[in-house]
Amino acid sequence: MLDKKYYHNNLDKLKQMSEEVSKDPFLPCFHIYPKSGWLNDPNGLCQVDGTYHIYFQYSPFDENKKDILWGHVSSKDLINFTREEPFIYSDSEFDRDGAYSGSAFVANNEINFFYTGNVKYDGDYDYVNDGREHNTIRVKSIDGVTYGCKELLLTNSDYPKNMTKHVRDPKIFNENNFYYMFLGARNREDKGLVLVYKSSDLKDFSYFMTIESVENFGYMWECPDYFKLNKQGILICCPQGVEKEDFKYQNIYQAGFFPINMDLENKKYELGDFYELDYGFDFYAPQTFEDENGRRILIAWMGMPDANYTNPTIEYKWQHCLTIPRELKYDEGKLYQKPISELCKLREEKLSLERGGKCNLQVYEAFSNDISSDFEINLRKDVKLSYQEETLTLDMGESSYGRKIREIKIENIENIRIYSDKSSLEIFINDGSYVLSTRVYSLDYLFYSKDLDFTIYPLKNIIIK
Ligand code: FRU
């Protein structure tokens, strides 16, 4: 449990920790990071009355994951942010071991938040088949800052009999005057899947159908999301337990999407192949929302659970950040991720860096267009991105705390756009049809390519007050 009272009684500790955080040379300049402690999944993303709300899984008093509640930042323009007080605390018998991930659904000027209340029993349990509750809970809010009461909507006994106790991360959408909730789940045969619940009032949800792949694709699908883009249904999820293949599924857990054609009236669907959303070391639990301008925006956790690499930021009492927001587009069978246009407001005076030229900026956006040859780029002194024989290689060198080499097959590279922050890189290839996001820990900020010309914009900081 971590309730509001505990949080307020320990503000001194938070202050001390955040003083440490602010001394970290790796502190991001244009990414959302926790004031202190640990951050994971983005939650409850929405825009209401012009204000964007970004919530996230948050352990304020511990730089390693511990008591999880919902942290919160808000913004009118995605450049100037306000740190709000934590939103959902772990303070009831239904979420006493963590206010786990969830989402927002805006209806009639009211935000409905759905999340998973985690409960772990004391005793000798495996916590997969026994010893755990995953409760689906709703809170309603007008302003995104305060809410009424916690309403318990679904408990273990409402999930199909062949499920393990891992059923979580609700995401809601509406179609033909009904509301559908997607929940990520693991069944007793260790197959990952999505459970679909249906409601006419956003409160009483009943089991509707299951979405699964024909062949087993991992033992658990976390953080499902569903939306349509350019008429194509997209099912995002994070499968755990997928075998590594050459050039594919290189992280311990995956984050990607299936193109899906949903026929809800007839409880039918067609699932396409799974595509990874990102090929870097640190990208997980993406969540999307449609903003008031009709853009489908994706934000992910720039981290990876249970990875065998680490972050030196723990010395400064914090860990992890969110990715930059990316606008999604779908065209001719391809999904594109494009950094939101607001980020252009951070640009300072443009520099041209001809091939062979060097620069030691730390925080910048760099792009190269009309690429027609193989290439090598130094992103830090010992971090290299190279392209040869239709293989893109990201070699993290010696200073990235266990992150090593990533290779992906790409037939042809036409353009590259790189966002470099103090301790992260987000690399968008071919208009964002391939992306690599990673944390990077080198203080040797050398940027250089003998093969490509670059246009570079040093970037200003976002403001987080
Ligand atoms: C994904 C996840 C979710 C869960 C949350 C708990 O990173 O494991 O499935 O709700 O994190 O923090």
Side-chain angles (χ1 to χ4, degrees), residues 135-193:
N135 299 306
T136 303
I137 301 167
R138 172 173 81 159
V139 298
K140 289 200 283 181
S141 174
I142 303 287
D143 55 9
V145 177
T146 52
Y147 58 80
C149 57
K150 292 185 171 177
E151 295 168 276
L152 181 61
L153 304 189
L154 300 171
T155 64
N156 286 359
S157 61
D158 299 302
Y159 308 134
K161 291 271 169 298
N162 65 332
M163 289 305 125
T164 63
K165 300 292 182 276
H166 284 234
V167 177
R168 58 178 175 266
D169 310 334
K171 183 85 203 271
I172 278 72
F173 65 95
N174 70 334
E175 200 169 294
N176 294 333
N177 297 321
F178 284 105
Y179 303 102
Y180 295 91
M181 176 190 289
F182 277 23
L183 284 163
R186 169 177 185 164
N187 76 12
R188 287 186 178 269
E189 281 85 56
D190 282 335
K191 185 173 191 192
L193 47 84

Side-chain angles (χ1 to χ4, degrees), residues 46-52 106 289-295 297:
C46 60
Q47 187 187 17
V48 185
D49 289 336
T51 301
Y52 290 94
V106 183
F289 69 108
E290 190 179 283
D291 79 351
E292 290 178 340
N293 296 318
R295 297 183 296 180
I297 296 178

Side-chain angles (χ1 to χ4, degrees), residues 137-329:
I137 301 167
R138 172 173 81 159
V139 298
K140 289 200 283 181
S141 174
I142 303 287
D143 55 9
V145 177
T146 52
Y147 58 80
C149 57
K150 292 185 171 177
E151 295 168 276
L152 181 61
L153 304 189
L154 300 171
T155 64
N156 286 359
S157 61
D158 299 302
Y159 308 134
K161 291 271 169 298
N162 65 332
M163 289 305 125
T164 63
K165 300 292 182 276
H166 284 234
V167 177
R168 58 178 175 266
D169 310 334
K171 183 85 203 271
I172 278 72
F173 65 95
N174 70 334
E175 200 169 294
N176 294 333
N177 297 321
F178 284 105
Y179 303 102
Y180 295 91
M181 176 190 289
F182 277 23
L183 284 163
R186 169 177 185 164
N187 76 12
R188 287 186 178 269
E189 281 85 56
D190 282 335
K191 185 173 191 192
L193 47 84
V194 168
L195 299 174
V196 185
Y197 283 71
K198 184 178 178 181
S199 167
S200 52
D201 61 1
L202 284 171
K203 186 167 192 268
D204 286 318
F205 279 89
S206 40
Y207 173 75
F208 184 64
M209 67 189 282
T210 294
I211 299 174
E212 58 192 328
S213 48
V214 180
E215 301 278 318
N216 202 333
F217 193 69
Y219 57 79
M220 169 71 191
W221 291 1
E222 292 192 312
C223 302
D225 195 348
Y226 170 77
F227 51 88
K228 273 190 188 159
L229 263 188
N230 206 1
K231 302 201 179 100
Q232 176 62 58
I234 305 281
L235 169 63
I236 289 183
C237 64
C238 294
Q240 300 186 319
V242 176
E243 291 279 312
K244 258 194 191 131
E245 290 180 17
D246 285 347
F247 307 106
K248 275 171 135 182
Y249 317 138
Q250 298 295 305
N251 282 320
I252 175 168
Y253 303 142
Q254 312 311 316
F257 70 98
F258 297 98
I260 186 169
N261 294 327
M262 291 292 304
D263 173 3
L264 287 162
E265 241 158 69
N266 297 304
K267 293 195 184 183
K268 286 195 176 134
Y269 62 92
E270 280 166 15
L271 209 57
D273 291 336
F274 183 82
Y275 295 90
E276 287 170 79
L277 273 167
D278 198 288
Y279 296 87
F281 293 87
D282 297 275
F283 182 97
Y284 198 68
Q287 187 176 97
T288 74
F289 69 108
E290 190 179 283
D291 79 351
E292 290 178 340
N293 296 318
R295 297 183 296 180
R296 177 61 55 180
I297 296 178
L298 175 147
I299 299 176
W301 171 29
M302 219 189 307
M304 179 59 61
D306 304 327
N308 58 1
Y309 37 83
T310 55
N311 302 294
T313 59
I314 51 173
E315 280 171 43
Y316 293 89
K317 302 281 172 216
W318 73 285
Q319 206 171 173
H320 302 306
C321 62
L322 299 177
T323 65
I324 52 172
R326 303 154 182 196
E327 186 179 349
L328 299 184
K329 291 266 157 71

